[in-house]
PDB file of all heavy atoms in Angstrom:
ATOM      1  N   GLU A 195      11.302   3.059  10.228  1.00  0.00           N
ATOM      2  CA  GLU A 195      11.587   4.479  10.095  1.00  0.00           C
ATOM      3  C   GLU A 195      12.171   4.803   8.714  1.00  0.00           C
ATOM      4  O   GLU A 195      11.842   5.826   8.110  1.00  0.00           O
ATOM      5  CB  GLU A 195      12.539   4.949  11.197  1.00  0.00           C
ATOM      6  CG  GLU A 195      13.896   4.254  11.258  1.00  0.00           C
ATOM      7  CD  GLU A 195      13.860   2.951  12.062  1.00  0.00           C
ATOM      8  OE1 GLU A 195      12.743   2.473  12.371  1.00  0.00           O
ATOM      9  OE2 GLU A 195      14.963   2.443  12.359  1.00  0.00           O
ATOM     10  N   ASP A 196      13.008   3.901   8.179  1.00  0.00           N
ATOM     11  CA  ASP A 196      13.570   4.109   6.863  1.00  0.00           C
ATOM     12  C   ASP A 196      12.519   3.940   5.764  1.00  0.00           C
ATOM     13  O   ASP A 196      12.550   4.616   4.738  1.00  0.00           O
ATOM     14  CB  ASP A 196      14.727   3.148   6.601  1.00  0.00           C
ATOM     15  CG  ASP A 196      15.907   3.416   7.514  1.00  0.00           C
ATOM     16  OD1 ASP A 196      16.021   4.559   8.047  1.00  0.00           O
ATOM     17  OD2 ASP A 196      16.721   2.497   7.732  1.00  0.00           O
ATOM     18  N   ARG A 197      11.588   3.045   6.039  1.00  0.00           N
ATOM     19  CA  ARG A 197      10.525   2.804   5.046  1.00  0.00           C
ATOM     20  C   ARG A 197       9.662   4.035   4.870  1.00  0.00           C
ATOM     21  O   ARG A 197       9.320   4.422   3.748  1.00  0.00           O
ATOM     22  CB  ARG A 197       9.690   1.608   5.534  1.00  0.00           C
ATOM     23  CG  ARG A 197       8.739   1.064   4.464  1.00  0.00           C
ATOM     24  CD  ARG A 197       7.940  -0.112   5.009  1.00  0.00           C
ATOM     25  NE  ARG A 197       8.781  -1.032   5.719  1.00  0.00           N
ATOM     26  CZ  ARG A 197       8.546  -1.421   6.963  1.00  0.00           C
ATOM     27  NH1 ARG A 197       7.502  -0.955   7.621  1.00  0.00           N
ATOM     28  NH2 ARG A 197       9.357  -2.275   7.555  1.00  0.00           N
ATOM     29  N   LEU A 198       9.302   4.662   5.960  1.00  0.00           N
ATOM     30  CA  LEU A 198       8.472   5.879   5.879  1.00  0.00           C
ATOM     31  C   LEU A 198       9.179   6.982   5.122  1.00  0.00           C
ATOM     32  O   LEU A 198       8.565   7.696   4.323  1.00  0.00           O
ATOM     33  CB  LEU A 198       8.103   6.336   7.293  1.00  0.00           C
ATOM     34  CG  LEU A 198       7.112   5.457   8.070  1.00  0.00           C
ATOM     35  CD1 LEU A 198       6.982   5.956   9.493  1.00  0.00           C
ATOM     36  CD2 LEU A 198       5.758   5.458   7.374  1.00  0.00           C
ATOM     37  N   ALA A 199      10.485   7.099   5.369  1.00  0.00           N
ATOM     38  CA  ALA A 199      11.263   8.132   4.674  1.00  0.00           C
ATOM     39  C   ALA A 199      11.325   7.839   3.177  1.00  0.00           C
ATOM     40  O   ALA A 199      11.203   8.748   2.332  1.00  0.00           O
ATOM     41  CB  ALA A 199      12.673   8.210   5.256  1.00  0.00           C
ATOM     42  N   MET A 200      11.498   6.572   2.818  1.00  0.00           N
ATOM     43  CA  MET A 200      11.564   6.184   1.428  1.00  0.00           C
ATOM     44  C   MET A 200      10.225   6.418   0.734  1.00  0.00           C
ATOM     45  O   MET A 200      10.175   6.899  -0.414  1.00  0.00           O
ATOM     46  CB  MET A 200      11.980   4.721   1.295  1.00  0.00           C
ATOM     47  CG  MET A 200      12.288   4.273  -0.114  1.00  0.00           C
ATOM     48  SD  MET A 200      12.995   2.606  -0.152  1.00  0.00           S
ATOM     49  CE  MET A 200      13.249   2.354  -1.901  1.00  0.00           C
ATOM     50  N   LEU A 201       9.138   6.080   1.398  1.00  0.00           N
ATOM     51  CA  LEU A 201       7.800   6.339   0.831  1.00  0.00           C
ATOM     52  C   LEU A 201       7.605   7.819   0.567  1.00  0.00           C
ATOM     53  O   LEU A 201       7.097   8.216  -0.495  1.00  0.00           O
ATOM     54  CB  LEU A 201       6.711   5.827   1.793  1.00  0.00           C
ATOM     55  CG  LEU A 201       6.495   4.319   1.858  1.00  0.00           C
ATOM     56  CD1 LEU A 201       5.620   3.942   3.047  1.00  0.00           C
ATOM     57  CD2 LEU A 201       5.891   3.803   0.555  1.00  0.00           C
ATOM     58  N   ALA A 202       8.007   8.630   1.519  1.00  0.00           N
ATOM     59  CA  ALA A 202       7.878  10.083   1.354  1.00  0.00           C
ATOM     60  C   ALA A 202       8.669  10.591   0.159  1.00  0.00           C
ATOM     61  O   ALA A 202       8.222  11.456  -0.587  1.00  0.00           O
ATOM     62  CB  ALA A 202       8.316  10.787   2.630  1.00  0.00           C
ATOM     63  N   ASP A 203       9.852  10.014  -0.051  1.00  0.00           N
ATOM     64  CA  ASP A 203      10.690  10.404  -1.179  1.00  0.00           C
ATOM     65  C   ASP A 203       9.985  10.164  -2.521  1.00  0.00           C
ATOM     66  O   ASP A 203      10.206  10.879  -3.500  1.00  0.00           O
ATOM     67  CB  ASP A 203      12.009   9.633  -1.182  1.00  0.00           C
ATOM     68  CG  ASP A 203      12.957  10.095  -0.076  1.00  0.00           C
ATOM     69  OD1 ASP A 203      12.725  11.208   0.464  1.00  0.00           O
ATOM     70  OD2 ASP A 203      13.888   9.347   0.270  1.00  0.00           O
ATOM     71  N   TYR A 204       9.132   9.145  -2.534  1.00  0.00           N
ATOM     72  CA  TYR A 204       8.405   8.789  -3.762  1.00  0.00           C
ATOM     73  C   TYR A 204       6.988   9.356  -3.804  1.00  0.00           C
ATOM     74  O   TYR A 204       6.202   9.028  -4.696  1.00  0.00           O
ATOM     75  CB  TYR A 204       8.356   7.256  -3.926  1.00  0.00           C
ATOM     76  CG  TYR A 204       9.676   6.657  -4.368  1.00  0.00           C
ATOM     77  CD1 TYR A 204      10.578   6.128  -3.443  1.00  0.00           C
ATOM     78  CD2 TYR A 204      10.011   6.624  -5.721  1.00  0.00           C
ATOM     79  CE1 TYR A 204      11.779   5.583  -3.840  1.00  0.00           C
ATOM     80  CE2 TYR A 204      11.218   6.073  -6.127  1.00  0.00           C
ATOM     81  CZ  TYR A 204      12.097   5.551  -5.187  1.00  0.00           C
ATOM     82  OH  TYR A 204      13.304   5.010  -5.592  1.00  0.00           O
ATOM     83  N   GLY A 205       6.648  10.212  -2.838  1.00  0.00           N
ATOM     84  CA  GLY A 205       5.319  10.810  -2.812  1.00  0.00           C
ATOM     85  C   GLY A 205       4.223   9.841  -2.445  1.00  0.00           C
ATOM     86  O   GLY A 205       3.054  10.061  -2.790  1.00  0.00           O
ATOM     87  N   MET A 206       4.563   8.791  -1.704  1.00  0.00           N
ATOM     88  CA  MET A 206       3.603   7.744  -1.322  1.00  0.00           C
ATOM     89  C   MET A 206       3.338   7.806   0.170  1.00  0.00           C
ATOM     90  O   MET A 206       4.235   8.143   0.968  1.00  0.00           O
ATOM     91  CB  MET A 206       4.123   6.355  -1.716  1.00  0.00           C
ATOM     92  CG  MET A 206       4.413   6.210  -3.210  1.00  0.00           C
ATOM     93  SD  MET A 206       5.415   4.731  -3.582  1.00  0.00           S
ATOM     94  CE  MET A 206       4.277   3.410  -3.108  1.00  0.00           C
ATOM     95  N   THR A 207       2.113   7.448   0.579  1.00  0.00           N
ATOM     96  CA  THR A 207       1.759   7.452   1.997  1.00  0.00           C
ATOM     97  C   THR A 207       1.803   6.042   2.595  1.00  0.00           C
ATOM     98  O   THR A 207       1.837   5.897   3.804  1.00  0.00           O
ATOM     99  CB  THR A 207       0.363   8.030   2.200  1.00  0.00           C
ATOM    100  OG1 THR A 207      -0.578   7.273   1.419  1.00  0.00           O
ATOM    101  CG2 THR A 207       0.300   9.500   1.765  1.00  0.00           C
ATOM    102  N   GLU A 208       1.765   5.020   1.743  1.00  0.00           N
ATOM    103  CA  GLU A 208       1.836   3.643   2.188  1.00  0.00           C
ATOM    104  C   GLU A 208       2.364   2.783   1.047  1.00  0.00           C
ATOM    105  O   GLU A 208       2.315   3.184  -0.115  1.00  0.00           O
ATOM    106  CB  GLU A 208       0.449   3.129   2.623  1.00  0.00           C
ATOM    107  CG  GLU A 208      -0.543   3.002   1.484  1.00  0.00           C
ATOM    108  CD  GLU A 208      -1.859   2.364   1.900  1.00  0.00           C
ATOM    109  OE1 GLU A 208      -2.047   2.073   3.082  1.00  0.00           O
ATOM    110  OE2 GLU A 208      -2.705   2.120   1.001  1.00  0.00           O
ATOM    111  N   PRO A 209       2.897   1.597   1.364  1.00  0.00           N
ATOM    112  CA  PRO A 209       3.300   0.703   0.284  1.00  0.00           C
ATOM    113  C   PRO A 209       2.122   0.355  -0.631  1.00  0.00           C
ATOM    114  O   PRO A 209       1.000   0.161  -0.151  1.00  0.00           O
ATOM    115  CB  PRO A 209       3.789  -0.536   1.040  1.00  0.00           C
ATOM    116  CG  PRO A 209       4.183  -0.040   2.391  1.00  0.00           C
ATOM    117  CD  PRO A 209       3.196   1.055   2.691  1.00  0.00           C
ATOM    118  N   ALA A 210       2.392   0.286  -1.926  1.00  0.00           N
ATOM    119  CA  ALA A 210       1.323  -0.018  -2.862  1.00  0.00           C
ATOM    120  C   ALA A 210       0.746  -1.399  -2.634  1.00  0.00           C
ATOM    121  O   ALA A 210      -0.430  -1.664  -2.999  1.00  0.00           O
ATOM    122  CB  ALA A 210       1.860   0.108  -4.298  1.00  0.00           C
ATOM    123  N   LEU A 211       1.526  -2.297  -2.049  1.00  0.00           N
ATOM    124  CA  LEU A 211       1.017  -3.652  -1.789  1.00  0.00           C
ATOM    125  C   LEU A 211      -0.190  -3.632  -0.862  1.00  0.00           C
ATOM    126  O   LEU A 211      -1.078  -4.482  -0.973  1.00  0.00           O
ATOM    127  CB  LEU A 211       2.125  -4.524  -1.176  1.00  0.00           C
ATOM    128  CG  LEU A 211       3.323  -4.827  -2.069  1.00  0.00           C
ATOM    129  CD1 LEU A 211       4.285  -5.754  -1.328  1.00  0.00           C
ATOM    130  CD2 LEU A 211       2.889  -5.470  -3.378  1.00  0.00           C
ATOM    131  N   LEU A 212      -0.230  -2.671   0.059  1.00  0.00           N
ATOM    132  CA  LEU A 212      -1.384  -2.621   0.963  1.00  0.00           C
ATOM    133  C   LEU A 212      -2.641  -2.200   0.199  1.00  0.00           C
ATOM    134  O   LEU A 212      -3.717  -2.769   0.423  1.00  0.00           O
ATOM    135  CB  LEU A 212      -1.101  -1.621   2.097  1.00  0.00           C
ATOM    136  CG  LEU A 212       0.145  -1.913   2.947  1.00  0.00           C
ATOM    137  CD1 LEU A 212       0.191  -0.967   4.158  1.00  0.00           C
ATOM    138  CD2 LEU A 212       0.191  -3.359   3.403  1.00  0.00           C
ATOM    139  N   ALA A 213      -2.493  -1.250  -0.710  1.00  0.00           N
ATOM    140  CA  ALA A 213      -3.634  -0.860  -1.539  1.00  0.00           C
ATOM    141  C   ALA A 213      -4.059  -2.016  -2.432  1.00  0.00           C
ATOM    142  O   ALA A 213      -5.261  -2.230  -2.648  1.00  0.00           O
ATOM    143  CB  ALA A 213      -3.255   0.360  -2.407  1.00  0.00           C
ATOM    144  N   LEU A 214      -3.100  -2.771  -2.920  1.00  0.00           N
ATOM    145  CA  LEU A 214      -3.421  -3.925  -3.763  1.00  0.00           C
ATOM    146  C   LEU A 214      -4.205  -4.979  -2.980  1.00  0.00           C
ATOM    147  O   LEU A 214      -5.183  -5.552  -3.499  1.00  0.00           O
ATOM    148  CB  LEU A 214      -2.131  -4.531  -4.326  1.00  0.00           C
ATOM    149  CG  LEU A 214      -2.285  -5.790  -5.169  1.00  0.00           C
ATOM    150  CD1 LEU A 214      -3.210  -5.556  -6.369  1.00  0.00           C
ATOM    151  CD2 LEU A 214      -0.906  -6.296  -5.636  1.00  0.00           C
ATOM    152  N   ALA A 215      -3.803  -5.239  -1.737  1.00  0.00           N
ATOM    153  CA  ALA A 215      -4.520  -6.228  -0.916  1.00  0.00           C
ATOM    154  C   ALA A 215      -5.962  -5.793  -0.676  1.00  0.00           C
ATOM    155  O   ALA A 215      -6.905  -6.590  -0.788  1.00  0.00           O
ATOM    156  CB  ALA A 215      -3.797  -6.427   0.410  1.00  0.00           C
ATOM    157  N   ARG A 216      -6.162  -4.510  -0.360  1.00  0.00           N
ATOM    158  CA  ARG A 216      -7.508  -4.017  -0.111  1.00  0.00           C
ATOM    159  C   ARG A 216      -8.374  -4.078  -1.377  1.00  0.00           C
ATOM    160  O   ARG A 216      -9.547  -4.475  -1.319  1.00  0.00           O
ATOM    161  CB  ARG A 216      -7.464  -2.578   0.414  1.00  0.00           C
ATOM    162  CG  ARG A 216      -7.065  -2.437   1.876  1.00  0.00           C
ATOM    163  CD  ARG A 216      -7.372  -1.035   2.394  1.00  0.00           C
ATOM    164  NE  ARG A 216      -6.588  -0.029   1.702  1.00  0.00           N
ATOM    165  CZ  ARG A 216      -5.414   0.414   2.126  1.00  0.00           C
ATOM    166  NH1 ARG A 216      -4.883  -0.059   3.234  1.00  0.00           N
ATOM    167  NH2 ARG A 216      -4.761   1.333   1.456  1.00  0.00           N
ATOM    168  N   GLU A 217      -7.794  -3.686  -2.508  1.00  0.00           N
ATOM    169  CA  GLU A 217      -8.556  -3.687  -3.749  1.00  0.00           C
ATOM    170  C   GLU A 217      -8.896  -5.114  -4.201  1.00  0.00           C
ATOM    171  O   GLU A 217      -9.959  -5.370  -4.757  1.00  0.00           O
ATOM    172  CB  GLU A 217      -7.773  -2.950  -4.847  1.00  0.00           C
ATOM    173  CG  GLU A 217      -8.574  -2.600  -6.082  1.00  0.00           C
ATOM    174  CD  GLU A 217      -9.689  -1.601  -5.802  1.00  0.00           C
ATOM    175  OE1 GLU A 217      -9.583  -0.827  -4.846  1.00  0.00           O
ATOM    176  OE2 GLU A 217     -10.711  -1.611  -6.569  1.00  0.00           O
ATOM    177  N   SER A 218      -7.984  -6.043  -3.951  1.00  0.00           N
ATOM    178  CA  SER A 218      -8.247  -7.454  -4.278  1.00  0.00           C
ATOM    179  C   SER A 218      -9.400  -7.993  -3.459  1.00  0.00           C
ATOM    180  O   SER A 218     -10.242  -8.739  -3.945  1.00  0.00           O
ATOM    181  CB  SER A 218      -6.991  -8.282  -4.038  1.00  0.00           C
ATOM    182  OG  SER A 218      -5.895  -7.812  -4.798  1.00  0.00           O
ATOM    183  N   TYR A 219      -9.439  -7.628  -2.189  1.00  0.00           N
ATOM    184  CA  TYR A 219     -10.521  -8.033  -1.275  1.00  0.00           C
ATOM    185  C   TYR A 219     -11.847  -7.523  -1.800  1.00  0.00           C
ATOM    186  O   TYR A 219     -12.836  -8.283  -1.866  1.00  0.00           O
ATOM    187  CB  TYR A 219     -10.203  -7.399   0.081  1.00  0.00           C
ATOM    188  CG  TYR A 219     -10.885  -8.000   1.279  1.00  0.00           C
ATOM    189  CD1 TYR A 219     -10.629  -9.283   1.711  1.00  0.00           C
ATOM    190  CD2 TYR A 219     -11.799  -7.229   2.023  1.00  0.00           C
ATOM    191  CE1 TYR A 219     -11.234  -9.806   2.856  1.00  0.00           C
ATOM    192  CE2 TYR A 219     -12.407  -7.730   3.158  1.00  0.00           C
ATOM    193  CZ  TYR A 219     -12.119  -9.037   3.564  1.00  0.00           C
ATOM    194  OH  TYR A 219     -12.732  -9.538   4.694  1.00  0.00           O
ATOM    195  N   ARG A 220     -11.875  -6.263  -2.225  1.00  0.00           N
ATOM    196  CA  ARG A 220     -13.100  -5.677  -2.773  1.00  0.00           C
ATOM    197  C   ARG A 220     -13.512  -6.389  -4.069  1.00  0.00           C
ATOM    198  O   ARG A 220     -14.671  -6.662  -4.311  1.00  0.00           O
ATOM    199  CB  ARG A 220     -12.873  -4.190  -3.029  1.00  0.00           C
ATOM    200  CG  ARG A 220     -14.123  -3.429  -3.501  1.00  0.00           C
ATOM    201  CD  ARG A 220     -13.778  -2.160  -4.236  1.00  0.00           C
ATOM    202  NE  ARG A 220     -13.020  -2.422  -5.439  1.00  0.00           N
ATOM    203  CZ  ARG A 220     -13.554  -2.868  -6.576  1.00  0.00           C
ATOM    204  NH1 ARG A 220     -14.848  -3.135  -6.656  1.00  0.00           N
ATOM    205  NH2 ARG A 220     -12.795  -3.085  -7.640  1.00  0.00           N
ATOM    206  N   LEU A 221     -12.514  -6.684  -4.915  1.00  0.00           N
ATOM    207  CA  LEU A 221     -12.784  -7.327  -6.199  1.00  0.00           C
ATOM    208  C   LEU A 221     -13.477  -8.664  -6.001  1.00  0.00           C
ATOM    209  O   LEU A 221     -14.356  -9.045  -6.790  1.00  0.00           O
ATOM    210  CB  LEU A 221     -11.456  -7.532  -6.925  1.00  0.00           C
ATOM    211  CG  LEU A 221     -11.519  -8.191  -8.312  1.00  0.00           C
ATOM    212  CD1 LEU A 221     -12.062  -7.208  -9.334  1.00  0.00           C
ATOM    213  CD2 LEU A 221     -10.144  -8.675  -8.741  1.00  0.00           C
ATOM    214  N   LEU A 222     -13.119  -9.361  -4.953  1.00  0.00           N
ATOM    215  CA  LEU A 222     -13.691 -10.684  -4.673  1.00  0.00           C
ATOM    216  C   LEU A 222     -15.095 -10.588  -4.067  1.00  0.00           C
ATOM    217  O   LEU A 222     -15.730 -11.605  -3.787  1.00  0.00           O
ATOM    218  CB  LEU A 222     -12.780 -11.481  -3.734  1.00  0.00           C
ATOM    219  CG  LEU A 222     -11.508 -12.003  -4.388  1.00  0.00           C
ATOM    220  CD1 LEU A 222     -10.491 -12.398  -3.329  1.00  0.00           C
ATOM    221  CD2 LEU A 222     -11.805 -13.174  -5.295  1.00  0.00           C
ATOM    222  N   GLY A 223     -15.586  -9.357  -3.846  1.00  0.00           N
ATOM    223  CA  GLY A 223     -16.899  -9.201  -3.261  1.00  0.00           C
ATOM    224  C   GLY A 223     -16.938  -9.555  -1.791  1.00  0.00           C
ATOM    225  O   GLY A 223     -17.972 -10.038  -1.283  1.00  0.00           O
ATOM    226  N   LEU A 224     -15.822  -9.312  -1.099  1.00  0.00           N
ATOM    227  CA  LEU A 224     -15.718  -9.663   0.307  1.00  0.00           C
ATOM    228  C   LEU A 224     -15.873  -8.423   1.194  1.00  0.00           C
ATOM    229  O   LEU A 224     -15.648  -7.310   0.757  1.00  0.00           O
ATOM    230  CB  LEU A 224     -14.375 -10.321   0.581  1.00  0.00           C
ATOM    231  CG  LEU A 224     -14.078 -11.587  -0.224  1.00  0.00           C
ATOM    232  CD1 LEU A 224     -12.657 -12.060   0.043  1.00  0.00           C
ATOM    233  CD2 LEU A 224     -15.080 -12.674   0.061  1.00  0.00           C
TER     234      LEU A 224
END
């Protein structure tokens, strides 16, 4: 619950690490 509030404070909808994991997966052609 605190994480969601902190993300909202920074104008983010999810941790950037999740976007990084998805983009890395795509980069590898997977």
